[in-house]
Structures are given as C-alpha cells and as structure tokens.
Amino acid sequence: MIAALRLAAAAWLLLAAQPAAALDPPGDPHYRATGSWKQPYPDQWGMHRIGLTADARSAWHRLPAGAAPVIVAMIDTGLDWNHLDIAWENLWKNPGEIPDNGRDDDGNGFVDDLIGWNFYENSNKPWDHDGHGTFTAGIVAATWNNGAGIAGINPMARIMVLKALNSFGNSRASFLARAIVYAADNGARVINLSVGGKELSAMEIAAVRHAVSKNCVVVVAAGNDGVSVDDFGMAGMPEVITVGAAGPDDKRAAFSNYGKAVDLLAPGVDILSLRARRTDTLLDIPGGQYGAGAAFVGGDNRYYRAAGTSFAAPFVTGVASLLISANPSLTAAQVRRMLTSTARDVGAPGVDQFSGYGMVDAAAALAADPTRFVEAAIHGVELATTARGPGVRVLGSVGADRLAEAFVEIGRGESPTQWTRVLAGLAPTENGELGVIGADAFRGAPVWTLRLTVVGAGGMQREARFRLSLE
Amino acid sequence: MWRRLLRVTGFPAALVAATALALPTVASVPRARVQDYAGEMQLYLGGGDNSDLADLIARAAAIRALAAQCNGMDCPQLLTCEEAQRLEADLYNLRALLEEQNRWLRQANDDAFQHFRNLSGQEHQTSVQMVRAIHSLGLQRFFHDLSKSIMDVTDLASAYKTLSQGDLAKNWGKLVENVDKFEKAVGKIEKTLDLADEGTGAQIYGQAYNEGWKAVKKEGAAATGVSPETQGLIRDGAGQLLKAVNKYRDALAKADGDRLTAAGRAFWNSGLKNPDGPAKFLNETEALRADVLKWVQKLGVEVSARLIAETEAYLADLNKNLGAEGVARGAAFLELQKFQNRRFQSEDALAAVDAALSEFAGCMALATCPRGTRVPLLSTLPDFVRTLPDGTRVGSWGWALQRIHAEIEALRAGLTPPGVKDLCGPKDDRALLMLGDPFAGQFLRLATDGTVWCTFRDGNPTPAGDDPRDGPPDGDDPRDAPPAGDDPRDAAPPPGGDDPRDKGPCDRIVELRIELTRLARIRSDGGASQAERDRARDEMHWNEQELLALVPLCPRNGGDPRDGPDAGDDPRDAPGPIGDDPRDKGPCEELAELRAARDKLLKDAASTALTDADRAAARLRTALVDSEILQLEKRCPRDDDPRDATAGGGDPRDGGGEDDPRDRPVDIFVKASTASLERGAQVRDEIAGQQIKLFPASTRDVALPGPGVAKPQADAGLGPIQGVTDRNGGLRLKATPRELGLISTPFLRVLDRNGGAAFEVNVDTTRQDSKNLIVPGASTKDATAGLSVDLRRYLTSAVQIGENAYLTFSFSKIEEEKLGKLLAGYDPKLIETNWCRTKEPRAPQSEADGARIPPGEELPGARISLAGAGR
C-alpha cells in the first residue's frame, strides 16, 4: 500500500516537473500561407504578429496540456454555424438546456438557448445575415487542422453566440446590455464587443459592471472614427479593455480611435477570417469605395478580408481566453493586468493614447506571472502653489507587486534625448498625487515631456509619458 | 344602495318573545357573496353599450369577406405580408382575448344573477317578514280586543251582580246603563268572533284576525297559550251572555213600562234565581274572569298597545325597505341583462373573429405569406386573482374584464382588411408584384435597415418639393425605371450542388405533427391547468402555421425530381388528415376531391358549434388540405383544371431541367412605397440609401448545429442579395426563385404571367426611436406591471441588472410626442435614449482613412499656465 502511494507520488512529481506540454501550431492552409491575395505578409499575419507563430517560440507552446475550455461570448451579428471552419466542438453548449423541447430547462429566461440567443429576433437561432459576427468568431475560434481555411486563436474557446446586432450590424444599447447580462449570467469568461457608438447609456454601464462583478473580461473595439475615444461609449469605460487597430507595420491604423481609454492595440488591418454564407459585411459601410465581393478570398469564397477595430478586439479576446484556458483560476483583473503589462510597446515610448500599453503579445502574456505586475500611469497635471512658489502637480499611479524604484523625469520637447529626474522615491499610489515639480524646472522651453518610470524588484519596469505645454 | 338595504330593521326581540311566533331574520341572506359582487363591479367599471363589440364584429366580417375574396383568387397577393402577419397575430390575439373575455363574462353573469337572486331573496324575505308582522299584528289585535271585551263583560257581570243584589229601585238607573254597556261589550265579542269565523274582514287585518282565530283553533295553547277550555268558554260564554243580555233587555223593557212593579220585581228575582237564568251566567262569567286574567297576562295585554305600536312601526320600515329593495332588484336585473347581452355579443364577436382568422389563414397560405413571430398577447396578462380582505383569493372578473377590454380596444382600431389583389388577373403594370407595393412571397424575407434600429445614413438628399412621383401620370413614374448600376451579382450563376432543403422540411413536418398531437391532447386534457391549455393552444397555432408553410416544401412522390425522398421515407405516406389517402388516385381527381373536402371542412367548421380543440383541429385540417391542394395543382395539367379554363399560356411549372423557371434569375425591383413617397420630402430623403437584403432560403430557419448535424454548403460561395436604394428609393436585385425559396405555385404563376419580369418590394422608411426607463429597486415583473396599457404597447424588452429593472420602449418617430406624454409621470433622470450602436469594420486596407493628429500628440497631454500662479 505504502509502496503504491510512493509510486503515485513519484509519478505526480515526475509529471509536475515536466515542462507544460506544447500545443502544436495549426496547419490550416491560410495560417501557413503568404500572399494569397498578393500581399507581402502571411495571410493570417495578425496571429503571427502577436506571438501565435508557427515556430518553436509560438505562444501556443506555452499552453499546458489539458488546457481548459473557456466560454467566450461574441456579442455580434450572429454566426454561420454551417461554415466549414466552425466546428460544433468550438461552440458553447448550454449544459442546462435540452435542445428543442420548447422549454426553458435551465430557467434562465430563454427557451432552448442551446448555443446562445438571438436578441434581435428573440429566438434561439442567432444566424448571421450580415457576416460581421462570423468574421469575429472565426478570429477567436476557427477550427484547427481541418485541412481548410484559417485557424482561430484558441482551439479551447467555446463561442457563445449572442446576436444583438441586426442583419446590417446595427443595434441599440439595450440589446447589447441584455446580451452582456446573458453572457455574464451564463458562464462566459470573456465578452467581445466589436461594436461602437458615441454616447453611453446607464443600461450599458450597469451591464458591463454586472459582467465585471462576475469575473468577466470585457473587450471592446475602440471604434473606427479616428477620434478620441475618451468618454466615448462603452469603449471609454475604465472597466473594459479597449482595443485599437494596427497594421502589419505595427502602426496604429489612422481610422482607429485613440485616447487615454485605449488599452491595447491588436492587428486590425487586412485581417483574414470567415465569410458567412451569402453575406458581404462591408457592403453597407458608408462612404467606402468597396466593391461587392472584392474582399472574398479563396476559390470557394468562404473567407474574407476586412479591417477595423471590430477585428482587432477579437485578437485580444482570443488571447484573454488563452490565458484563462491556461489558468482558469485567473481573475478578470489579473487577465487584464497580464495583457497590459506584457504588451509590446509600439509607437511613442510607454503608455500613450494611440497604442495604450502597446500591441497585445500572446507569448509574453502566457509567460507572465499573474502575481507580478508593474504599473505606471500619468493621468494629468495641475497648477500647484507651494511655499517655494508655483509648480506642477503630477497625478498618476505607481504600482508593482514588489516595487524597487519609481521616479519622474522631464525632458525638453516632444521627443527628449536628455532627461532630468525631478521626483524620486515615489511610493505606490493609485490615481493620486505623485509630487509637485517646481516651475523653475520648466524654464527654457514651451513644451516638455514628463516620464514616469516604475521598476519592480525583478527588473521589470514600465514607463508612462505625458506632454506638458506651457502658456 | 344594497348596503343601505341591509340595514333592515330587525323584528323587535321583545315582541318575538312575547308572541312566541317564529319570524325570519336577514341573517340568512348570503352577504359575503353580495359584497364580492360590489367589489368586482367597482373594478369592472364597464357596462356601457356594446357598440365596441358590434364594431369588432363588423371589422371581423369585413376581414372575413376580404379573405374569402382572396381565397377565391388564383394568385392572391396580400399587401403586405408584414401587415398580414400583424393582422393575423391581432386576430389570433383577439380570439384568445375574446375567449378569455367570454369566460370571465360567464363568471360575471353568474355573479350578477346571484346578486339579483340575493336581492330578490332579500325582498322576498322582507315580504315574508311583512306578512308575518301583519299576522302578528292581527293576532295581537284579535286577542287584545277579544280579551279586553271579555274583561269588560266580566267586569260588567260583577257590577251587575252587585247592583242587582242591592236596592233595585235605587240602582235601577245604573242597571240600565250597565245592561247597555253589557250589550255593547258582548256585541263586540260577537263581532270579533264573527270576523274571525267568517273571514270577512275587509280591512288589512281582517285576514290576520281570520288566521289568528284559525291559529287559535288549530294550534291551540301551543301557539296562543289559550286552552281549549278557555276557548270554549269564550265562545259559549259569549253566546250565553248574549242570551242573558237579551233577557235583561226584555226584562228591562217590561220593567220600564211597569217600573218597579211587583211583577217586575218578581221577574227580576225569579230571573236571578233561575238556575238557567242570568244569574248562572253571571256566576260563570265571574268564574271565567280568573282564566281570562291569566290569559291576558300571558299575552301581555298590559303592554299590548305598545307592542302593537312597535309592530306597526316595524311594519312601516319593512314597507319602506320593500320599496327600496324593489328598486335595487330592478337595477340588478338590468345589470344582469347587460352582462347577458354583452356575453352574447362577445360570443358573436368571438365567432366572427374566429371565422375571420380561419378564412384569413387560408388566404395567407394561398398568398404564401410566412408565419408571424409575435408573442401571444394572452401570455402577458396576469392571472386576475385578487385577495379579499379576509385573505380569500378569488378570480376577479371585474379586473379581468376591465383589462381585457382595454387590450381588445387597443387591437380593434387596427383591425382593417389588408389590400389583396390577384396576380394572375389581367396583366398590367400594377398587377405585377409591383415596385412600391410590398411583395409578400413565401419564405421571402426582406430586411431593411432603419425601421427598428437606428437612423438612416447620410447622403442622397432629395430637394424639397422634388417629388419623383410628380412626373407624367402616364406611367412615367421614375420608380419604374430600373436603378442604374452594375451589380456584380447580376451575372451570378445559378446555384448548384446539393439543395439544403432536401432534408429539413419533411423531417420537421413529422416533428410538427407529433407535437400537434401532443398539444391537442393537452388541450383536451381535463387534468391540465388552464395555463397549460392556453400555452398548448398558442403553440398549436404557431406549429400549424409552420406546418402549413413547410408542407409545400416536402413534395409528394414524383412531384419534384429534385427532392424525391424514398417512398418509405416520406412522412406523408401515412394516411392524410382527412381519411383516405387521396394520392391513390389521379392528381386531378384528387384535386377535385380535396377541394370538395376543403369546402366541406370550412362549412362544417363554420356551422358546427365546436370546442376550441375542435376548431384548432379544423383549422389544421383545412391548412393541410390547402397545402395538399397546392401540391396537386402542380401535377394536374392545367387543361384538366376547370378553374384554369380562362388562363392563357402554359404552366411554367410543367417545365423542368434547364428551363426550370425556378432557376431563371429574375429581377426584383425594390421601390419606395407610394405611402412612403406621400409622406413628404423628409421621408424621401430617408428612402434613399436604404440598405436592402433578401435572405436566401439557405440562410432562413437554419437548423441549429449539433453532433452529426449536416452542414449544407450548396450556395456558401455565393454573395448576398443586397443593395442600397437610389435617390428615389429604388433598387434592382437579381436572384433565382429557387435560391429565394420561392418555388410555390402562386409565385411561379406570377413568373409565368410576367415572363420572369419584375417584382416589387416595399421599403418601410418609418424612422424609429427607442428609450430606456430605469426602475430602481424593482423586478422586471413589478416594473412592467406598473405600466399603463398604452405604454406597455411600446415595451420591447425588460431586463434586470443588479437591483434595477430596465425597460426599453421602441416607437416610431411620429409617435415620439405620444410616448413622451406616456412617460411624463416618470422621473426624467430615469429615462435615457437607447443609443444606436454599430459594427466597426472597414475595407481591408484602410490605413489612409480616418483622422490623423499631429505627430507627438499621441502622448496624453495638457496645457498649463505657470504665469497664473502667485509667487
């Protein structure tokens, strides 16, 4: 008996000591191909760009064997579930519902909601007549290794199909709010909202906060208006992860909204995904020069190219779901922190209002220790009067699981080459005063850049910058 | 009024005790029942005339007439299918509401009848009390008078005896006077007894005297306390006294002439000493006095005058109440009549609506309008159970009728016959599936944006006053010109490959039939609750509609070479719903038989008093026969079809293969409806740039996925059938009937008549808006329950988020002011715009698009003036 226990313990120790079993990258044709429409980059360049590569460094290799399925709610125009690249296995199956018995078996208020719900027509068939929802779902969960088409980010994702946009991709806040509540109440861990709109309703705020309270990661597209997204619809809410779009050159797409609310960038230009049967989602985009069928890809027209923050958001959604698949016990806050703290800094150094924390990086995020974090943010400045005269009070956040050092420097102009440390020894602060810089420090130039640097005990560091114009 | 009547003066307890006569009390009236009725009437607030129901009947009759006309057409087209669906749903809901109303009216009628009976009973009881009081009064007076007279006689007898034994001469005068009194007293007794015996009393109490005496005789001591011996004495004594009086009178007469003579004195003496003479009676009368005194005491003669006064007052009260009760009873009778009349009228309305619905359902099937998706209204109504102050829970007909009436009223106004025309009639431009007229093809689903969701896109404004319809009236309607533009899909090849519809419909038909059988059982199951039966009825309705729509897609053996399931696999190989399988005969023979069978079914359904379940079954049978007829029409050569005698040209359905009309692309012209154009310049702006989609058959009602479920890929490579309206609201789309699922007879006939030409669809340009109402701390149930009926009609969703309920109202922009008034009672801070939302895609390589900001400004920043700070 004791020997048997020792044997079992030894086996467990042996397993525990082994590196996580790798998940081999998919072999789907478009994932492996380049130039299918004569472009100089891989067909699914976005996957490769965020670390979901086909080589040994692939983020997928970091996914442990036995990674858990994770429910991802796609609140969109529905899904063409008959698409060859959508497998039954990748759909959420409501465990409490008996199909087609005409009853609300699980008592959630929806009858026969097997894979989700169609809030638009109030039915259990969230079919996609527009194509937008199928496209976003394909980025997250297109079937792997079926010999055709593309691969999704997370083969463990289980798509909860919530049709809350109509057959043209339009909706109202109430439909989205109801879908968010449905997702949160029915087990979704990640909610994708590739939806925009300027004003914000109390109903949406309540729905998002309800979802966050249920440990859901809510990912929202920043929008394609090329304007500041601060205080701009759900994308402006601090509770969500707001995602802007970048092209293959890692630059923010010009159409992608910007602002302090933007958290991450993700691939959002020339993205390849699934085309829902008999749809062409770009046909009704106002002002575009798009010709019908121009974005169809492949001999069978089952695939499609498009751009937009709508398609950047699912990349973050997919990576978030990978993190939860790898470690289902992660909280939504931890997922958010892992995504932002590991983002690859692009554009202006540090956190900026074009790229937020930077381009999402699946490999880095999966490698991150959820307990480790370093945070740096300058939220604003204000005029201050001290005993030594006027100055500039710097407001922001400093945080780290083990803080080693935090300081503020200033430099002349918008891209300083030399920095002067003006505040040092900063303590952890959450959206508070970091210190006051005397007015004398700003002599000699009309524009200054402030740089906050936070260093963790392990050397991990993050910086945030802020532009100060003097009048 | 009735409550006041309940305060009927009680019969004086003292009197009851004194007379020992049992009298009724109002305590026996079922008061609680009467109180329920009053409460219900207060809730009901109804009772007006029945003009609303008469109007409803008239409207239903008009729809039925229209539908009958439609059913007589070869190729009816309803304008529009959306309107038809709404009307069908309204009729369906009205039928359910009327059934419910009739159920509650029956209960109200029962209660009104009970109320009337109660009031009648009350009145009857008062009458009984009155009669008994009268009897009591009569008895009291009888015994009072009788006993008083006897007492008088005994007193006189004693007095006479004393007088006669004294100095006769000295007492003579008193003796004479006494004899006169004696005579009167005895006469009074005699009269009282005569009245009682002969029953000749003409006055109100005569009968009571009579009955009183009878009661005395019949019930004796038990009723009156007068012993039979005493009674005998009264009667005999009275007679003897009378004789004695006569003798005295004679003696006096003689004595008067020979006053105080010896003879006279002797006579008196002899008379007094005569053992049978007056002395005897005097003695006996004196002896009687003791009995009479006891009797009088027992009857309470000492207070009899007061008792009689009380009884008279009581009688007056009763009389007054009786009058009021009569009035109340009359009012209750009128109420009862009203309920009865309303119930009869409501039942007529139900029959009219039911008939209209049956007829209209046939019309919709013939016009190939798809089923509607409205939620049955009845399921949203409460159970109408209220709790009485004593905790009793009762079904409240007052509440139910008031609410149901409001629901019916809300639907009644919109109950108008839709437009219908026969597309197989003489060909002219307007007889086509016209642009501007809405098209309503089987399974053709058209989607436009802007009706439910958000605002219209910018662009393509039409100058005010530039009404495109103002052109020449000779057909030069700019809407008639096909919109320009190259649609890459115009050259799209017809779809090939597997037809995804080959499997689904037949399987679904089998499921639906099984489900309908199950639901019918529930409906007729006495053990099922009313709610379960109602649900079953609702489900049956929609299942019937679905079945009706699916049957044409599951053709008979040999009917459609594309489909051809094995004989054994065809679920319809089971005996049909009308008995013998008509498919054993030739198609034309079957067609004739089926048409006859359908006529009979309709006739039977209309003429026989059927239960709900029977009616539902009849509708189902009719629908199924209709679908069979549609199928057979394809197989019966037109030459053999007597109805086609006047039709020209070949039947396109007879063709097949390469020339199959189902695979010939046809143009579908979308045009703004005339109504839209007539709404003015603003709307004309809105009709331009409208997104239009037609949903191919392969994307409609797609089966949910599952392990092993087939994933048909037939037309997966084809593009959408989609476009944007031009400045006049026009758009040309191209598609084959097969890919649209438009393979039914009427559509193909239209194709034939029009040479595969144009079809029209309507663009609904009604701009929509939406508001959210936050109800803090409320459940959605409570929040919605508090809405007025008017406001509830705009409610499109309700959701609970945290502690609050969020209600969403959707409405047409033209109703914005009305909704504003309906929401006026709510805190404006709790009302918000239900903002528009949209997807966020761009063309694949859109880097050049969008706004840019100066370099460097990607950093968050601020502008600050240090000069403003004091040093």
Side-chain angles (χ1 to χ4, degrees), chain A residues 82 86 120-121 130 167 170-174 196 199 202 204 224 270 275 277-278 281 307 310 353 471, chain B residues 445 449 453 693 703 711-713 716 719 739 832 834-835 837-840 842 844 857-858 860 863-864:
Chain A
N82 283 342
I86 290 292
Y120 168 43
E121 292 171 314
D130 177 83
S167 298
N170 293 328
S171 184
R172 286 189 185 273
S174 62
E199 301 82 0
E204 288 167 313
N224 301 338
D270 209 10
R275 185 180 73 90
R277 164 191 309 238
R278 311 305 303 260
T281 190
S310 269
Q353 59 180 348
E471 293 180 339
Chain B
R445 268 186 65 189
D449 202 8
W453 304 83
K693 276 182 185 176
K711 296 170 74 167
Q713 301 292 317
E739 66 181 326
E832 64 176 8
N834 191 15
W835 297 110
R837 296 287 177 257
T838 187
K839 62 186 179 183
E840 294 290 344
R842 303 283 292 194
E857 290 194 2
E858 63 266 36
R863 187 171 290 276
I864 199 167

Side-chain angles (χ1 to χ4, degrees), chain A residues 34-419:
Chain A
T34 294
S36 290
W37 54 95
K38 298 180 178 151
Q39 86 284 11
Y41 39 78
D43 292 358
Q44 286 195 269
W45 71 267
M47 305 273 274
H48 298 271
R49 186 57 50 87
I50 65 170
L52 298 169
T53 55
D55 56 23
R57 295 169 299 167
S58 173
W60 282 310
H61 288 308
R62 296 186 176 276
L63 205 63
V70 58
I71 301 170
V72 178
M74 303 298 291
I75 297 176
D76 216 293
T77 58
L79 178 72
D80 172 2
W81 52 76
N82 283 342
H83 197 287
L84 289 176
D85 247 347
I86 290 292
W88 167 243
E89 290 70 24
N90 289 122
L91 297 178
W92 171 67
K93 273 78 71 176
N94 184 348
E97 201 68 35
I98 299 167
D100 289 330
N101 68 350
R103 292 187 180 145
D104 179 15
D105 301 296
D106 59 357
N108 68 350
F110 299 86
V111 175
D112 286 341
D113 50 328
L114 184 64
I115 60 169
W117 193 252
N118 180 346
F119 291 90
Y120 168 43
E121 292 171 314
N122 202 31
S123 83
N124 67 340
K125 289 186 176 176
W127 183 264
D128 187 2
H129 289 288
D130 177 83
H132 189 266
T134 302
F135 196 106
T136 56
I139 293 170
V140 176
T143 311
W144 278 29
N145 300 325
N146 58 344
I150 65 168
I153 292 173
N154 186 4
M156 303 307 295
R158 302 293 180 260
I159 299 296
M160 178 188 281
V161 190
L162 300 177
K163 180 171 180 175
L165 276 68
N166 72 0
S167 298
F168 296 87
N170 293 328
S171 184
R172 286 189 185 273
S174 62
F175 289 89
L176 301 183
R178 290 170 62 209
I180 293 168
V181 170
Y182 178 101
D185 289 349
N186 288 279
R189 290 297 315 275
V190 189
I191 297 173
N192 187 83
L193 284 155
S194 293
V195 188
K198 287 184 181 177
E199 301 82 0
L200 184 60
S201 71
M203 195 172 178
E204 288 167 313
I205 294 171
V208 167
R209 289 180 177 163
H210 175 74
V212 171
S213 76
K214 293 209 162 190
N215 211 20
C216 291
V217 177
V218 182
V219 180
V220 179
N224 301 338
D225 310 278
V227 299
S228 171
V229 79
D230 296 338
D231 304 322
F232 185 103
M234 280 190 287
M237 287 184 68
E239 291 89 346
V240 307
I241 298 176
T242 302
V243 183
D249 56 0
D250 277 357
K251 289 183 180 172
R252 159 192 164 263
F255 59 77
S256 182
N257 289 345
Y258 57 89
K260 284 183 286 185
V262 172
D263 295 296
L264 293 168
L265 280 188
V269 175
D270 209 10
I271 303 300
L272 179 68
S273 188
L274 313 182
R275 185 180 73 90
R277 164 191 309 238
R278 311 305 303 260
T279 68
D280 192 341
T281 190
L282 296 177
L283 270 183
D284 50 14
I285 300 301
Q289 300 299 315
Y290 178 76
F296 291 11
V297 172
D300 57 4
N301 292 336
R302 287 191 173 96
Y303 299 89
Y304 197 70
R305 290 186 300 131
T309 54
S310 269
F311 310 126
F315 277 93
V316 173
T317 293
V319 175
S321 74
L322 278 176
L323 295 177
I324 296 170
S325 286
N327 183 0
S329 65
L330 289 177
T331 66
Q334 284 175 321
V335 172
R336 179 194 181 91
R337 188 177 286 156
M338 291 165 76
L339 289 170
T340 54
S341 66
T342 61
R344 185 159 46 85
D345 196 4
V346 295
V351 179
D352 62 75
Q353 59 180 348
F354 273 3
S355 61
Y357 287 88
M359 179 77 88
V360 66
D361 187 333
L366 279 164
D369 180 344
T371 64
R372 300 284 308 279
F373 68 95
V374 173
E375 287 181 348
I378 298 176
H379 302 306
V381 293
E382 63 185 20
L383 190 62
T385 302
T386 68
R388 292 186 295 172
V392 173
R393 180 176 291 115
V394 183
L395 305 171
S397 298
V398 169
D401 58 307
R402 287 177 295 158
L403 180 65
E405 185 182 18
F407 52 87
V408 173
E409 299 163 300
I410 60 173
R412 293 170 187 261
E414 293 166 345
S415 302
T417 54
Q418 292 186 330
W419 296 92

